[in-house]
Amino acid sequence: MSQLARPGKIIAVHLNYRSRAAQRGRTPAQPSYFFKPASSVAATGGELERPAGTELLAFEGEIALIIGTTARRVSPEDGWAAVSGVTAANDFGLYDLRAADKGSNVRSKGGDGFTPLGPEVIPASAVDPAALRVRTWLNGELVQEGATDDLLFPFGRLVADLSQLMTLEPGDVILTGTPAGSSVTEPGDTVEVEVDAPTSAGAPSSGRLVTRITEGRIPFGDFGTKPRVDDHQRAEAWGTPPAPAFALTDELRAALASVATATLSSQLRKRGLNNVSIDGLASTRPDARLIGTAKTLRYIPNREDLFASHGGGYNAQKRAFDTVGAGEVLVIEARGERGSGTVGDALALRAQVNGAAGIVTDGGVRDLAVVAALDIPTYHAGPHPAVLGRKHVPWEADVTVACGGASVQPGDVIVGDADGLIVIPPALVAEVVADAVEQEREEEYIAEQVAAGHPVDGLFPMNAEWTERYRAWRAQR
């Protein structure tokens, strides 16, 4: 391995990217670790055997820190100074043996060749640790991409934490966690990992770390725990997110499209929910109906040092617009601040290309004429020519946000029309829309009777006599 010596010890972090934590459904308050043996190190271009009788060999593209100086009881502020360079790593793991390890990862992640590193080392002095990127390709398809501004625990903190207990020595390697997208690889596959610093001078890169997967022929013996998998391990290995408790089906979408937001609002009010409207926004497409599940993005007030660490590179804003899915509504918390744009033409187009149902921001919009010409409806607080950084720092995605005076959680159902926007908790959607459809049928009947000359007393709302007439009318239809 060019510029890489065999490490004295390899220490790996369990969970360290917000995207991965969201996928796992848990966010640690502090970092936790496990060891990998030096014998697991491999070079680029090598082959990795998936042991005979196993099925769940998973890849995890990571940034590897190479310790350059002896570090003991250093501070988080000084932790990065102990790092001489970074390179690409693939933290392969065999989920078939996790039960045997009982959390230690000795067998599941300690096999020969399970820690490819390289091919080149990027000097730590040449990059900003908050502006690195790791990407993974499976058979040429990009499957993982993460930036270090998405880390739960920055590199300096990891070095400091570990050095509280042990001496970190030159050549030691710290694997810093993997972003979302880790999955299973099979014999015949090729996995590639690259670490780079796209915003640094010269855009330094580790180059592609290439590993080809082969099929093992020698089965495990009877003198140790045999490989074993279940549906839970399969879901974890393949990266399958927990099954959602709610799905916005085509039938529910059609039902929601058939009723007005005013009707939905009245049904929510009957259930004690009065604060579910996103207020004060105009739509670029007031003729278009907006229906989708919320994906959220939060901005905080601009502070120059925070914008320097979170505003550049592949920041939370870009990641949110890149990953918003078909049928989702990107809801942005901008604190009602109209003094800069929170979305512009390129990002709005990206959301449209992804199939997003709409964009909702309680901040300003740049390039409003171009955004308004797109098919995707964008609800906003007004136009503004300034860039995001004048007022905002893109901070985090997929969290509970406040937008237009309403609380919005990821997965909430957003419905909008010319009257405005309504937020419906997923657990209530089916019953709310069913009752809304019935309410509008009743209102249709009442309107017919008023048009025929009947007085509203007893008709609106319907008394017992009119209710019976309505039921007969419904039966005929």
Side-chain angles (χ1 to χ4, degrees), residues 51-224:
T54 65
E55 64 172 273
L56 300 178
L57 177 63
F59 59 84
E60 295 183 6
E62 306 200 10
I63 298 170
L65 309 183
I66 302 169
I67 299 299
T69 61
T70 300
R72 178 75 164 110
R73 294 195 175 99
V74 301
S75 69
E77 293 75 22
D78 294 332
W80 176 247
V83 178
S84 62
V86 299
T87 192
N90 203 330
D91 180 19
F92 281 103
L94 195 61
Y95 280 70
D96 309 63
L97 293 175
R98 288 179 93 191
D101 284 344
K102 295 181 171 59
S104 70
N105 289 339
V106 169
R107 300 179 75 204
S108 62
K109 288 198 173 238
D112 288 353
F114 275 37
T115 315
L117 297 172
E120 303 295 333
V121 176
I122 303 171
S125 59
V127 295
D128 176 356
L132 291 168
R133 176 176 63 174
V134 58
R135 292 179 292 174
T136 306
W137 293 264
L138 178 63
N139 299 324
E141 179 184 355
L142 182 66
V143 290
Q144 284 188 289
E145 182 166 5
T148 46
D149 61 1
D150 189 44
L151 291 177
L152 293 166
F153 313 113
F155 295 153
R157 180 173 172 179
L158 299 178
V159 173
D161 184 25
L162 291 166
S163 74
Q164 293 185 95
L165 184 64
M166 68 185 75
T167 299
L168 298 176
E169 300 170 318
D172 286 349
V173 169
I174 301 174
L175 306 183
T176 59
T178 194
S182 165
S183 193
V184 170
T185 184
E186 299 179 338
D189 288 345
T190 297
V191 187
E192 301 170 272
V193 182
E194 180 185 13
V195 169
D196 67 351
T199 60
S200 297
S205 167
S206 68
R208 295 279 184 101
L209 172 65
V210 181
T211 306
R212 289 182 290 275
I213 310 303
T214 63
E215 181 70 271
R217 302 298 179 191
I218 302 175
F220 284 88
D222 294 331
F223 38 84

